[in-house]
Amino acid sequence: MKRPHSLLLLLTALLLASCASTTALKITPTQEGERVTIPKHHLSVTLTPGWRIAKTAPANTLLFASAANGNLRFVIVGPLGDNSGPKDALVANAAYQKGIQQTLADGGFSKVDRAGMFRVAGVSAFRCDASTRNKSQSIMQVHVPYNNRVWVLSFYSTGEQVSRFTAVPKILQSLQFLP
């Protein structure tokens, strides 16, 4: 029998292959920074001042942005999953969470600094902060279930720990799902 994280890797690869490769963005200046709306998927997030939005994002990415200093990157991927029903239980499932942690470890982020459920955009989401063994790189992945799909928000740092950047919680808390 395959290990659960192997199944998760396969499932994630299949789901990512079904995501749209390019997405139109609507960017609106606000007092807090730039509100980036992804109309096709009815969601928005506000980037704090100093972020650069990539004109072309990697395949299967809805939004790719980097902080002005270049040490912090932010990506939104989704929607993952079919429209077969709520994904709240999936994201809260311990096997799913362990699979995310194992996937990060397989990618070189072997030290889990923090993992657990928290509230964002009015729903319970899973957050996992991990770093390389020497802490030279860190990542934060947030899996947000909404409207029978899962959206993944990732922050990646080549400098200090992702959780130490003041922009990260502001950006996470700005996430909105629109009608």
Side-chain angles (χ1 to χ4, degrees):
M1 180 176 160
K2 291 185 176 184
R3 297 186 313 207
H5 73 274
S6 298
L7 293 173
L8 179 66
L9 286 171
L10 176 62
L11 177 62
T12 301
L14 292 172
L15 293 173
L16 283 175
S18 70
C19 292
S21 60
T22 58
T23 300
L25 303 175
K26 178 182 172 191
I27 301 169
T28 309
T30 69
Q31 288 184 335
E32 294 80 26
E34 290 184 321
R35 182 176 182 193
V36 180
T37 303
I38 306 170
K40 179 180 178 183
H41 297 288
H42 306 282
L43 65 92
S44 74
V45 66
T46 300
L47 299 176
T48 55
W51 284 82
R52 293 184 304 257
I53 300 168
K55 295 191 186 322
T56 56
N60 305 320
T61 302
L62 300 178
L63 172 64
F64 179 77
S66 60
N69 67 9
N71 288 343
L72 183 63
R73 292 172 182 79
F74 173 57
V75 177
I76 299 178
V77 175
L80 305 180
D82 56 28
N83 201 11
S84 64
K87 302 295 184 262
D88 303 65
L90 172 69
V91 172
N93 181 285
Y96 179 88
Q97 294 174 6
K98 288 291 183 193
I100 298 304
Q101 292 175 37
Q102 186 60 52
T103 300
L104 292 174
D106 292 347
F109 296 95
S110 57
K111 184 179 180 317
V112 172
D113 301 309
R114 176 179 177 182
M117 300 297 289
F118 80 116
R119 300 279 298 167
V120 64
V123 299
S124 291
F126 175 69
R127 170 183 170 173
C128 184
D129 298 8
S131 57
T132 54
R133 199 171 295 284
N134 65 4
K135 293 198 177 254
S136 64
Q137 300 173 35
S138 66
I139 193 166
M140 174 192 292
Q141 275 200 354
V142 178
H143 292 243
V144 184
Y146 185 79
N147 201 20
N148 299 331
R149 303 289 179 110
V150 175
W151 309 86
V152 180
L153 289 72
S154 296
F155 292 90
Y156 167 74
S157 173
T158 56
E160 62 185 290
Q161 294 294 101
V162 168
S163 59
R164 293 191 178 150
F165 287 92
T166 59
V168 171
K170 291 177 184 175
I171 292 169
L172 282 175
Q173 292 308 316
S174 75
L175 176 66
Q176 294 180 341
F177 291 99
L178 309 170

